[in-house]
Amino acid sequence: MSSENKATVRRFFEEVFNEQDFAAADEIVAADYINHNPAPGELPGREGLKQFVAYLHSANEGIRFVIEDQIAEGDKVVTRWTATGTHTGEFAGIPATGKRYTTKAINIHRVVDGRIQEGWLEWDTLGWMQQIGVIPSGG
């Protein structure tokens, strides 16, 4: 089951987040999906997730997610990923900076019967904000 759950989460990043394939989201994300770390204003459920992905792409030109590692046990899949893009539109209240970034994160997803039911996210928000020039880099 762990390999199937990892494949489902891989589709989540590759098809939903990279390709904005919302038909794939309908297949692999539960309608009542719970994001335990929603972005400000993100609506609940699968429809909220799809709106967030569209918003993410509208504000970050060329954004791509690359899976670095995945570990699965039981109904949970842990994914370490890297995202790159250019901040070209308002995102989370931050006006476009035109700056390129690379950010890293770890997600935990709970997969039940081939559908993602819940997600938790920890990402390097400070590093991202420093790269786009909103917060000065230490040094």
Side-chain angles (χ1 to χ4, degrees):
M1 186 59 92
S2 292
S3 63
E4 290 99 2
N5 289 349
K6 284 173 29 176
T8 297
V9 173
R10 183 169 293 280
R11 283 187 68 198
F12 180 73
F13 284 102
E14 292 176 357
E15 295 176 33
V16 178
F17 271 86
N18 283 341
E19 298 171 18
Q20 297 184 79
D21 181 346
F22 298 135
D26 291 338
E27 290 175 27
I28 64 171
V29 178
D32 59 349
Y33 167 74
I34 299 168
N35 181 355
H36 291 280
N37 310 90
E42 183 179 340
L43 298 174
R46 179 175 57 217
E47 293 307 312
L49 170 73
K50 292 191 291 190
Q51 289 174 358
F52 173 73
V53 170
Y55 171 57
L56 184 67
H57 278 266
S58 73
N60 295 279
E61 185 176 300
I63 190 166
R64 295 292 297 168
F65 292 79
V66 175
I67 293 174
E68 306 292 347
D69 288 302
Q70 279 190 313
I71 301 166
E73 184 173 326
D75 64 356
K76 300 269 181 27
V77 177
V78 178
T79 306
R80 184 175 65 87
W81 53 263
T82 302
T84 56
T86 304
H87 181 227
T88 55
E90 180 276 327
F91 185 74
I94 301 169
T97 63
K99 297 197 176 182
R100 190 123 178 93
Y101 62 84
T102 299
T103 190
K104 297 181 180 295
I106 294 175
N107 266 109
I108 300 172
H109 289 100
R110 187 169 71 89
V111 181
V112 178
D113 297 327
R115 289 184 181 255
I116 298 171
Q117 298 287 318
E118 297 181 80
W120 296 262
L121 170 67
E122 294 296 329
W123 69 292
D124 182 13
T125 312
L126 175 61
W128 175 76
M129 293 179 90
Q130 289 174 328
Q131 289 178 60
I132 65 169
V134 174
I135 294 176
S137 295

